[in-house]
Amino acid sequence: MTELILHHYPESPFAEKVRLVLGHKKLAWKSVHIPAVMPKPDVVALTGGYRKTPLLQVGADVYCDTALIADVLEHVQPEPALYPAHLKGVARVFAQWADSTLFWASMTYSIQPRSMAQVFSSGEAGQAFAADRKAMRTNMTHLRLGDATSAYRSYLRRLAHMADEHDFLFGSEACVADFAAYHPLWFTRTRTPAVADILQPTPSLLEWMERVSSVGHGRFEPLDAADAVEVARRADPEPAGRNLLVDSAFQDDHGIPLGSRVTVSAESFGPEATEGELIAATRTHYSLRREDPRAGTVHVHFPRVGYVLRKAETA
């Protein structure tokens, strides 16, 4: 298998989720640091438009969204399992909640006036970040600080009830639910300590966080972003059905045949679309073939849930 290349930046909560999954699987990987805000020319060279963090690159195949990346890493290294057989459904549903509802309550609470100086190096950096994320919040309702604080407190208590019972949220071993729930709390605790007092009333949750953190990030080496793009240019993408996504049967819910020119974009956060030739539409994912002057021929993969498939507009 071609080496795993993670495109991320250290402060990204979702990147922390994947870094821990890599540690859980005891995998080796290459670390490419990318900007937190646009422009991201090396990212766009690989994805054609998608710009959220992180990305997983394997040769000329690019996997978007941590839900899909987790599936890929489960296929690469099945043990220890992210989706234990008796928890497959509940773990996935819980992770989806944690990556959305819990995440946005946490971020709104954490990035507030009391913590701004800890998150951003300057007022200008904070303004640039705020403008960048505002542009990404298409069709989203932005929580007010008071509402987010109330919700976050409730969610922390509920997670603490789970942590009271087991070493990890669903038992004695970590699974995808732990990594999905951990990363928003990690941001509060490590990036915004000025407001991390919200975690103190739940000591069992703090103990659980220590256990998750001890998983580590696996073995990694730095790689320059331009070199990662060159890796893609020199590689051939894997044919649909033979890449690191296990399902391949065509599932047509849109009346769009394979071979069509299409776009794929996120339903809400991060509306930038990727355009290409539809080469796979399975029960779990979409795959597009696209050409880039720098990266060459690449296959870009998205999860089906949370993403919108459309026919590309013709001139």
Side-chain angles (χ1 to χ4, degrees), residues 23 33 40 57 63 86 110 115 130 137 155 208 226 272 287 315:
H33 282 186
K40 301 183 180 184
Q57 177 189 351
Y63 300 93
H86 64 296
S110 299
S115 62
R137 287 198 301 268
Y155 299 151
W208 164 80
E272 295 85 359
S287 298

Side-chain angles (χ1 to χ4, degrees), residues 7-315:
H7 298 251
H8 66 121
Y9 58 91
E11 302 81 10
S12 164
F14 277 101
E16 179 65 7
K17 173 188 172 184
V18 174
R19 292 187 294 252
L20 286 167
V21 171
L22 288 160
H24 180 64
K25 299 289 190 181
K26 296 180 172 54
L27 289 167
W29 52 285
K30 294 295 180 68
S31 169
V32 175
H33 282 186
I34 61 176
V37 300
M38 292 293 272
K40 301 183 180 184
D42 298 310
V43 169
V44 173
L46 293 169
T47 68
Y50 180 90
R51 45 74 57 98
K52 293 196 286 185
T53 303
L55 308 169
L56 181 68
Q57 177 189 351
V58 183
D61 284 89
V62 179
Y63 300 93
C64 303
D65 195 285
T66 63
L68 189 68
I69 292 171
D71 286 347
V72 168
L73 296 178
E74 185 82 336
H75 180 67
V76 169
Q77 178 57 268
E79 297 295 336
L82 288 175
Y83 311 101
H86 64 296
L87 293 172
K88 279 186 178 180
V90 69
R92 286 187 183 277
V93 171
F94 183 94
Q96 186 176 2
W97 168 82
D99 284 342
S100 53
T101 303
L102 175 64
F103 174 80
W104 285 114
S106 168
M107 290 301 104
T108 303
Y109 170 80
S110 299
I111 303 177
Q112 59 166 286
R114 282 200 292 149
S115 62
M116 291 291 282
Q118 295 179 322
V119 180
F120 303 109
S121 58
S122 66
E124 291 79 7
Q127 292 172 3
F129 184 88
D132 183 83
R133 293 309 189 263
K134 182 179 180 180
M136 296 179 74
R137 287 198 301 268
T138 302
N139 300 324
M140 284 186 65
T141 299
H142 186 60
L143 290 171
R144 295 180 301 174
L145 177 58
D147 297 328
T149 301
S150 297
Y152 197 23
R153 289 189 197 281
S154 293
Y155 299 151
L156 292 173
R157 288 195 299 270
R158 295 171 190 177
L159 291 170
H161 293 157
M162 301 171 74
D164 287 341
E165 299 296 324
H166 311 285
D167 284 347
F168 295 97
L169 295 182
F170 286 103
S172 61
E173 302 294 335
C175 70
V176 70
D178 294 277
F179 305 122
Y182 175 84
H183 71 89
L185 281 60
W186 166 85
F187 188 89
T188 302
R189 191 181 191 189
T190 65
R191 299 297 303 155
T192 60
V195 296
D197 55 322
I198 197 171
L199 300 170
Q200 294 309 311
T202 52
S204 64
L205 200 56
L206 291 170
E207 293 170 3
W208 164 80
M209 291 184 72
E210 291 297 328
R211 287 191 286 273
V212 175
S213 176
S214 69
V215 168
H217 295 163
R219 308 180 309 280
F220 61 92
E221 299 176 355
L223 180 67
D224 185 77
D227 290 338
V229 175
E230 182 65 12
V231 167
R233 189 187 69 81
R234 293 186 177 187
D236 293 321
E238 292 294 328
R242 287 172 49 193
N243 52 44
L244 296 176
L245 297 166
V246 295
D247 63 328
S248 58
F250 181 47
Q251 178 175 306
D252 181 15
D253 294 331
H254 297 78
I256 301 176
L258 296 180
S260 300
R261 197 76 186 171
V262 300
T263 64
V264 173
S265 57
E267 286 179 357
S268 55
F269 186 68
E272 295 85 359
T274 293
E275 181 174 337
E277 177 193 350
L278 183 66
I279 59 171
T282 78
R283 62 183 177 82
T284 64
H285 72 276
Y286 301 119
S287 298
L288 306 186
R289 178 187 290 114
R290 55 177 303 274
E291 301 287 337
D292 182 84
R294 293 178 59 205
T297 302
V298 292
H299 289 177
V300 190
H301 311 279
F302 301 88
R304 195 154 191 149
V305 173
Y307 288 79
V308 177
L309 174 71
R310 294 187 176 95
K311 284 187 176 180
E313 295 182 2
T314 56

